[in-house]
Amino acid sequence: MKTSIPLTILGIETSCDETAAAVVQDGVRVHSNVVATSLKEHEAYGGIIPEIASRRQIEFIDGVVAESLKSARMTFEDIDAIAVTRAPGLIGSLLVGLCFARGLSHALNKPLVEIDHIKAHLYANYVQLSGEKAACPQNRLPAVGLVVSGGHTSLFYIENFRKFKLLGTTRDDAAGEAFDKVARILGLGYPGGPAIDRLAAGVKGAVPCNSREAASSGIKFPPAPMKGGWDFSFSGTKTAVLYYVQRNGLKPDYSAAQVAHAFQESVVAVLAEKSLQACRKFKVNTLLVGGGVAANSALRRLVQARAGVQGVDVFFPPMVLCLDNAAMIAGLAYHWHNNN
Ligand code: KG4
Ligand code: ZN
């Protein structure tokens, strides 16, 4: 029997290079959402250095949690439960958040809820930042969920907030990882996703997707179709870009922007196709997208356009909740703790 129903949850997220804490009420209302990041330090290396990330987590965590309470105008007394990312992520980074949250839970004698980071990325659609509406109303379930981040590409059938069925995942690189690696090939730096997004947007005719410009440039990097299943594969596409650049990079008509555009088209086409196929198969009219790559403008455009034709409503979290944050952790934890 439940003795009390926690309403206000302090969430902690430290799975990678962001140190985040948030206070969320009733799984929806975000009172504070604080994020510190060591991203800049990793830029010089072209990717996340786990040792640096975990060291910064240790340095930031105390201040970030204190700031999340302060900006929510609350103290630990006002918190009913603590939520923390359990996995997946970099082990050193995860351990900082887990140890901190477990210690806090013990010291304050408040319940601890450990949350899956990937599922929380989809829940970001259901939380409401101050002065804004949530991207998706709470009653829109079941749904299909696509998580596209630096570490993951996963497709789910979501029956309720406690029941996520994994349909498929990437066999090799995650979508964001492929963006980051292709950006490195093109000399665009890290993180690569936003850089490719910007560069591709400058290609004449880049809007809408699958434009004639892409076809007329003659560059195509067909995605691995992975027919008959829900899995994805992006490493072949990335290698095709590498070979193309090696063969053509010094030619006078070479255009990095066209390469970026063709690569992006290829990735977003397969993501849109499989997600909407899953909506048809499971007869749902709600598609949730989450994770860092959900910020991609071509993905947003293509999925919206194709979903509309199919009678599916597609939801993307606001940009600030696409990237790693603790509001999504505290929000989902409400349902796990309360069995709602
Ligand atoms: O969800 P996230 O913050 O961290 C993980 O859990 O991995 O996602 C980071 C990833 C990076 O790979 C980054 O390149 C990608 O999201 N990303 C984008 C865009 N913004 C961030 N990829 C494509 N287009 C974007 N606009
Ligand atoms: Zn993430």
Side-chain angles (χ1 to χ4, degrees), residues 47-293:
I48 302 291
I49 306 296
E51 172 66 17
I52 296 178
S54 54
R55 278 175 186 264
R56 296 301 168 257
Q57 296 285 6
I58 293 172
E59 290 163 17
F60 294 162
I61 184 90
D62 210 15
V64 166
V65 169
E67 183 56 38
S68 74
L69 289 169
K70 192 174 157 207
S71 69
R73 296 198 173 83
M74 290 186 192
T75 68
F76 283 126
E77 288 296 301
D78 303 305
I79 300 299
D80 297 303
I82 293 146
V84 66
T85 302
R86 183 188 61 240
L90 301 174
I91 189 68
S93 288
L94 283 167
L95 273 171
V96 175
L98 269 168
C99 293
F100 193 93
R102 284 177 187 173
L104 209 53
S105 155
H106 192 68
L108 301 173
N109 196 23
K110 307 217 173 192
L112 178 69
V113 190
E114 297 185 2
I115 290 294
D116 181 287
H117 178 87
I118 305 184
K119 293 170 187 165
H121 264 305
L122 292 174
Y123 192 82
N125 282 288
Y126 293 99
V127 299
Q128 184 187 339
L129 293 169
S130 131
E132 289 176 29
K133 280 205 326 209
C136 183
Q138 292 263 320
N139 60 1
R140 293 214 53 151
L141 285 168
V144 165
L146 172 72
V147 183
V148 272
S149 72
H152 314 282
T153 304
S154 308
L155 194 60
F156 289 96
Y157 173 75
I158 310 166
E159 202 172 316
N160 59 52
F161 293 128
R162 294 169 62 92
K163 212 164 177 189
F164 288 63
K165 183 172 184 253
L166 181 66
L167 303 174
T169 186
T170 179
R171 300 267 182 100
D172 38 58
D173 291 345
E177 186 182 358
F179 268 95
D180 293 335
K181 288 176 175 171
V182 164
R184 197 185 318 184
I185 293 167
L186 298 178
L188 300 177
Y190 179 84
I196 289 186
D197 199 351
R198 277 193 302 273
L199 190 61
V203 171
K204 203 162 143 268
V207 180
C209 283
N210 297 332
S211 65
R212 265 189 270 135
E213 174 72 19
S216 66
S217 77
I219 309 173
K220 279 210 173 106
F221 302 115
M226 311 294 288
K227 283 214 162 72
W230 302 109
D231 283 351
F232 302 90
S233 166
F234 298 109
S235 95
T237 313
K238 168 201 70 190
T239 307
V241 172
L242 176 67
Y243 290 162
Y244 179 89
V245 173
Q246 284 174 347
R247 273 197 305 270
N248 300 287
L250 296 175
K251 292 185 180 167
D253 60 347
Y254 169 78
S255 157
Q258 280 179 347
V259 174
H261 182 250
F263 162 76
Q264 180 172 270
E265 291 288 289
S266 169
V267 172
V268 304
V270 76
L271 292 172
E273 176 62 36
K274 291 229 164 171
S275 315
L276 289 165
Q277 210 180 324
C279 291
R280 289 195 294 276
K281 161 98 181 155
F282 296 99
K283 298 187 172 47
V284 301
N285 64 357
T286 304
L287 172 62
L288 307 173
V289 187
V293 184

